[in-house]
Amino acid sequence: MIRLTEIRLDEGAEQLALQVLRSGRLTQGPMVERFEREFAQVAGASHAIAMSSGTTALVAAIQALGLGPGDEVITTPFTFVATLNAVLEAGAAVRLVDIDASDYTIDPEAVAPAVGDRTRAVIPVHLYGFPADMEGLEKVIAGTEISLIEDAAQAHGARISDRPVGSWGMAMFSFYATKNVTTGEGGIVTTSSDVLADKLRLLRNQGMRRRYEYEVPGHNYRMTEIQAAIGIAQLAHLSEWTDRRRRNAARLVEALEEVEGVRLPSLRPERRHVFHQFTVQLDRDTGLDRDTVAAAMEARGIETGVYYPRLSHDYPCYRALDAVRADPTPRAARAAQEVLSLPVHQWLTEADVMAVADTFVDSVRQTRRSLSV
Ligand SMILES: *Cc1c(COP(=O)(O)O)cnc(C)c1O
């Protein structure tokens, strides 16, 4: 079976984790500090504040801006549900707008008409590891007080020209088990604002500046030393692993370019894709069915994934909430029905990548044949 994700931890991680175990210092120690310093560099930001998960990191980022009831945040519904949940957790309202049909990230032209008196932030999601149109979004919010918070959970090391994602306003990265860099569970906020960094550190640790001196009502969003130790070891490989993902993606693109009815990932040279996922879109109007192709691939030993089968708010538990408002999002709705992610990770061999491509082509053909019968 060729898997969609494969997690391998090397000797470097073992040694650093062992160092933590032997030190007896399990939280708020030197590993977290080192991980933060090293990650800030990856994101091109002055500060990185490690958290217990990507979700808590995003909640903290929203809280650090002082957002809460009465405020509205604009984001995309074509994302993992954590983007939506984090805004609701902070007490703010969500306004969901459509995506760009070719790269699946939030469309600045859909953001512009949604901006209103209560809009305080926009959360673009660098979905699958492809940077959202940050320049387009900056133009939309120019001259306003609206903040940008990047959801870079899937985009460690992605860049727009020479500028890393994570360097715009505030950004959240996730280190969940399947992400391009993992600590098992974990997250981080990056920012170049000293004021916001200070707030984030307070919020992470019960609002406490000095022992039992509380400045704001806070929380426990802390990362452990073992998590940070694993993260440091992972980070050392990030650029090599990203190169391998990009090379695998280039091979898939080359092999799949001619398949009719299949849209391949957007490849714009100035927006450096880090291929957390290699996601294709199967056009229903040409007779393709995503779920049939996925089942055919599964039967031949290739695991695929659907990110995401429904829009984030398209569940009964969100329907009655006044805090969730969705514009019509036909492009996102269509993507949810048609996208399929193929294995692209750094541990695939060249033969694995070719097997993924060949099996995909065969499965698409098989679907078309059964259609014409
Ligand atoms: C993984 C992910 C998150 C949440 O991160 P966790 O570490 O799982 O809490 C948020 N947004 C997106 C787009 C993600 O992929």
Side-chain angles (χ1 to χ4, degrees), residues 53-55 79-80 82-83 125 151 153-154 172 174-176 179 186 308:
S53 76
T55 308
T79 178
F80 183 51
T83 318
V125 179
D151 180 335
Q154 304 182 357
M172 170 278 279
S174 164
F175 306 115
Y176 176 65
K179 300 289 157 79
Y308 295 89

Side-chain angles (χ1 to χ4, degrees), residues 6 33 43 59 61 69 73 100 107 137 147 169 177 191 228 280 297 322 348:
E6 197 176 312
E33 280 174 20
V59 173
V73 175
D100 180 291
D107 179 2
L137 291 172
S147 304
T191 177
V280 298
M297 292 191 72
D322 289 334
L348 298 174

Side-chain angles (χ1 to χ4, degrees), residues 121-145:
V122 179
I123 306 182
V125 179
H126 305 310
L127 199 71
Y128 310 136
F130 185 78
D133 181 2
M134 297 306 291
E135 280 117 348
L137 291 172
E138 277 189 319
K139 278 187 201 132
V140 170
I141 62 163
T144 73
E145 300 280 288

Side-chain angles (χ1 to χ4, degrees), residues 31-43 45 47-61 149-153 156 166 170-176 181 183 185-191 200-201 204 221 223 228 231 235:
M31 288 293 177
V32 169
E33 280 174 20
R34 180 174 158 197
F35 184 51
E36 291 181 335
R37 270 196 314 276
E38 293 183 4
F39 199 85
Q41 293 220 314
V42 170
H47 308 277
I49 300 89
M51 306 274 180
S52 52
S53 76
T55 308
T56 56
L58 191 53
V59 173
I149 307 174
E150 299 167 66
D151 180 335
H156 321 71
M170 260 189 298
M172 170 278 279
F173 295 80
S174 164
F175 306 115
Y176 176 65
V181 174
T183 61
E185 298 280 1
I188 212 161
V189 182
T190 57
T191 177
L200 288 160
R201 290 183 197 286
R204 170 174 70 179
Y221 295 142
M223 175 182 271
L235 217 48

